[in-house]
Amino acid sequence: MLGTIVNTCTILLGGTFGALIRTGIGEKYKHVLFDGLGLCCLVLGMNAVLPNMPKSEFPVMFILSIVIGGVIGTKLDLSGRIDRLNAKINQRNGNENNALQGLVTGVLLYCIGTFSIVGPVLSFLSPSHGWTFNEPGNTFLYTNATLDLVTSAVLAATYGWIMLLAAPVLFCWQGFFYLIAYLCGDGMPEPMRIELSIVGGVLILSSGISILGIKDIKTVNLLPSLLVPVVFYLIKGSIF
């Protein structure tokens, strides 16, 4: 669990640094950051999807997840709620920065991936359950923390202080998988990890496409898709 705490702190540290230097960054440089962030999302999304597709037990699972999750998200109007809240924030702050969309992108980048999903499980499976700094099981989380330190600085330099809210989300996300490992005893089923990585990769790709202005995809409406593989494997009996 110590690895998760370290990972959370690096996001707070990187986010604080990025938000502090944000006011000194010119508009043309902010545009470069946006473009770079969009391209990184595309690369990271493909990196999550392509290696895991051949390992999938049910190759159509990600399609069903996106369809079911998209219908649920649209029915709940998640994107609309975020847009309305974001408009209120922008009106109050007197800017046009799409802060909440940036927060969603940040959460996806921090939480979706092998390091952030498998890391907490390996941390629990370590002899001391990952509560010492030199625990080998924390290696994934320390690596993830290093990556998130840089990513959080770039995101906060682009979107501002709101990006610090991603830190508690990451803590809860990794804590959830740590809890799964505790309940299962031997960790999270590999098929579930694979399907989550594929669906999450698609969502990161979606964010990248939106950031680059290629198409305005309502990625927020697709977030419930992440629940579909979890519910499927719970029903299938892979965990309990």
Side-chain angles (χ1 to χ4, degrees), residues 50 78 80 88 99 161 177 199:
L50 297 180
L78 297 181
K88 291 181 180 179
W161 290 100
F177 290 108
V199 175

Side-chain angles (χ1 to χ4, degrees), residues 115-137:
F115 289 159
S116 204
I117 295 175
V118 178
V121 176
L122 294 179
S123 180
F124 173 80
L125 296 177
S126 299
S128 63
H129 299 314
W131 282 106
T132 60
F133 278 104
N134 60 347
E135 193 73 70

Side-chain angles (χ1 to χ4, degrees), residues 54-207:
K55 305 174 186 176
S56 175
E57 285 186 339
F58 306 98
V60 298
M61 172 65 70
F62 84 97
I63 300 176
L64 293 175
S65 298
I66 294 297
V67 171
I68 295 172
V71 170
I72 294 174
T74 302
K75 179 65 177 178
L76 297 175
D77 191 26
L78 297 181
S79 182
R81 295 172 190 268
I82 291 292
D83 289 342
R84 288 189 290 273
L85 181 57
N86 192 70
K88 291 181 180 179
I89 293 175
N90 290 341
Q91 185 177 16
R92 183 182 306 167
N93 296 336
N95 60 54
E96 299 180 354
N97 187 26
N98 203 350
L100 288 178
Q101 291 290 351
L103 179 60
V104 171
T105 299
V107 168
L108 288 172
L109 288 174
Y110 300 146
C111 295
I112 302 302
T114 301
F115 289 159
S116 204
I117 295 175
V118 178
V121 176
L122 294 179
S123 180
F124 173 80
L125 296 177
S126 299
S128 63
H129 299 314
W131 282 106
T132 60
F133 278 104
N134 60 347
E135 193 73 70
N138 283 327
T139 301
F140 270 30
L141 292 177
Y142 292 153
T143 303
N144 199 55
T146 304
L147 296 172
D148 289 347
L149 178 66
V150 178
T151 305
S152 60
V154 173
L155 285 169
T158 305
Y159 295 107
W161 290 100
I162 195 171
M163 295 308 304
L164 296 183
L165 295 178
V169 176
L170 173 87
F171 182 84
C172 292
W173 172 263
Q174 292 188 0
F176 169 71
F177 290 108
Y178 189 91
L179 179 62
I180 287 180
Y182 171 79
L183 295 175
C184 296
D186 58 350
M188 180 182 58
E190 180 68 5
M192 182 191 292
R193 183 199 68 78
I194 291 172
E195 301 302 336
L196 278 172
S197 295
I198 294 173
V199 175
V202 173
L203 297 186
I204 294 174
L205 276 168
S206 172
S207 293

